[in-house]
């Protein structure tokens, strides 16, 4: 039977280092705050402590959601003030798990630290919305803030940085491609000098280099493979930028070629 994802309301709370006050639910309603409905999902880790970034920078983190019940769950995750979730809507089988990647855009007005929450609203599959059927998991995050600088992040078509471009099983006589991106997750312009692929049968395709990426921008290209003979192939892709912390980054690539 086909499963159906039910849209749920998403909210998120984001505050900077000085602490943005949020209304007290007891004061707003004029009565006692109701007991929260227990979440069917648990996050591992339960909270995200992010690496230091600059105000307006981007941080990425991966964590695992675990369904603590035998019931299948429909879920929607994300935020409205700086948090993105990948995937943003999904199902978790009873006692199953789901990887969730958070991409967090830090506020530009922070001084020492920033904090907020990633929200996962969920409901057991097949039940009606409302009341005790609607459940929420909140995943707090925090990040210290530092000086403004560029920061190069190498991506391979996903929200998290990659360590390997795997073509998998391919064959000769065709051109194969994998996505390759360089994002400026920092708060100052990033100079992307060059990208080099090792191997006679691979090349980089994309906008001409060098170029400058402003904060939040990304270079989007591809790694092309044209195998001429069978066998296992592997090599490296080297990315050179003016990111002082990581001026040169290398990721591997591999392919198993058949005729």
């Amino acid at each position: 039977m086909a499963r159906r994802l039910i849209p749920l309301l998403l909210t998120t709370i984001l505050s900077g280092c000085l602490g943005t006050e949020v209304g007290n639910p007891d004061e707003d309603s004029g009565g006692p705050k109701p007991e929260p409905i227990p979440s069917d999902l648990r996050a591992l880790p339960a909270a995200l402590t992010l690496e230091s970034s600059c105000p307006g920078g981007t941080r990425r983190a991966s964590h695992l959601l675990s369904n603590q019940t035998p019931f299948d769950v429909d879920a929607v995750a994300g935020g409205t003030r700086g948090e993105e979730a990948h995937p943003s809507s999904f199902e978790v089988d009873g006692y199953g798990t789901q990887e969730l990647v958070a991409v967090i855009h830090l506020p530009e007005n922070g001084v020492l630290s920033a904090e907020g929450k990633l929200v996962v609203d969920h409901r057991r599959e097949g039940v009606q919305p409302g009341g005790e059927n609607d459940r929420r998991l909140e995943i707090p995050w925090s990040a210290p803030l530092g000086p403004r600088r560029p920061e190069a992040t190498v991506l391979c078509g996903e929200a998290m940085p990659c360590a390997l471009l795997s073509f998998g099983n391919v064959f000769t006589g065709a051109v194969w491609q994998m996505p390759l991106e360089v994002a400026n997750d920092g708060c100052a312009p990033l100079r992307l000098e060059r990208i080099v692929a090792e191997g006679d049968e691979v090349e980089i395709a994309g906008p001409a280099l060098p170029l400058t990426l402003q904060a939040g921008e990304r270079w989007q290209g591809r790694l092309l493979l044209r195998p001429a003979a069978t066998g296992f192939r592997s090599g490296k892709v080297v990315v050179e930028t003016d990111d002082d912390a990581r001026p040169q980054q290398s990721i591997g690539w591999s392919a198993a070629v058949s005729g």
Side-chain angles (χ1 to χ4, degrees):
M1 177 177 63
R3 295 178 176 175
R4 181 179 59 186
L5 290 179
I6 307 171
L8 305 174
L9 175 65
L10 288 175
T11 59
T12 186
I13 303 170
L14 178 64
S15 61
C17 65
L18 300 179
T20 302
E21 292 188 0
V22 180
N24 188 322
D26 293 346
E27 297 175 355
D28 295 341
S29 63
K33 182 179 179 181
E35 290 294 326
I37 300 171
S39 170
D40 287 341
L41 303 177
R42 184 176 68 176
L44 301 172
L48 300 174
T49 302
L50 308 174
E51 293 181 358
S52 175
S53 182
C54 47
T58 299
R59 277 291 169 260
R60 305 167 190 269
S62 175
H63 49 286
L64 192 69
L65 298 181
S66 174
N67 188 348
Q68 303 296 295
T69 76
F71 305 101
D72 296 345
V73 167
D74 294 332
V76 177
T80 58
R81 294 183 59 193
E83 296 92 344
E84 302 173 13
H86 301 268
S88 59
S89 60
F90 50 90
E91 300 175 2
V92 187
D93 294 336
Y95 296 124
T97 58
Q98 169 70 48
E99 182 183 12
L100 192 66
V101 173
V103 180
I104 298 171
H105 305 287
L106 303 178
E108 296 186 0
N109 58 353
V111 179
L112 298 177
S113 65
E115 60 185 20
K117 295 177 183 178
L118 189 70
V119 175
V120 183
D121 283 338
H122 56 284
R123 182 184 303 135
R124 293 176 182 178
E125 190 177 71
V127 303
Q128 295 298 315
E132 294 186 357
N133 291 333
D134 293 339
R135 298 162 189 253
R136 168 167 292 183
L137 173 67
E138 295 183 347
I139 306 169
W141 61 264
S142 62
L145 298 177
R148 294 182 177 272
R149 66 176 185 85
E151 183 175 335
T153 301
V154 181
L155 306 170
C156 305
E158 303 290 342
M160 287 295 290
C162 56
L164 177 67
L165 287 157
S166 176
F167 287 94
N169 296 315
V170 299
F171 51 84
T172 59
V175 179
W176 305 88
Q177 62 182 5
M178 292 290 293
L180 179 65
E181 302 173 84
V182 179
N184 182 3
D185 282 349
C187 314
L190 173 73
R191 180 74 170 175
L192 177 54
E193 300 293 350
R194 65 173 188 157
I195 303 175
V196 179
E198 292 183 349
D200 296 333
E201 299 173 330
V202 291
E203 64 177 290
I204 301 295
L209 300 177
L211 60 75
T212 298
L213 298 174
Q214 300 300 319
E217 292 184 342
R218 65 177 62 188
W219 177 93
Q220 296 178 301
R222 296 163 294 156
L223 176 64
L224 304 180
L225 171 65
R226 295 182 172 87
T230 61
F232 182 77
R233 304 283 194 283
S234 65
K236 291 191 301 183
V237 174
V238 179
V239 178
E240 297 180 358
T241 69
D242 67 347
D243 180 347
D244 291 340
R246 295 174 296 179
Q248 187 176 90
Q249 299 183 55
S250 298
I251 60 173
W253 67 267
S254 66
V257 184
S258 58

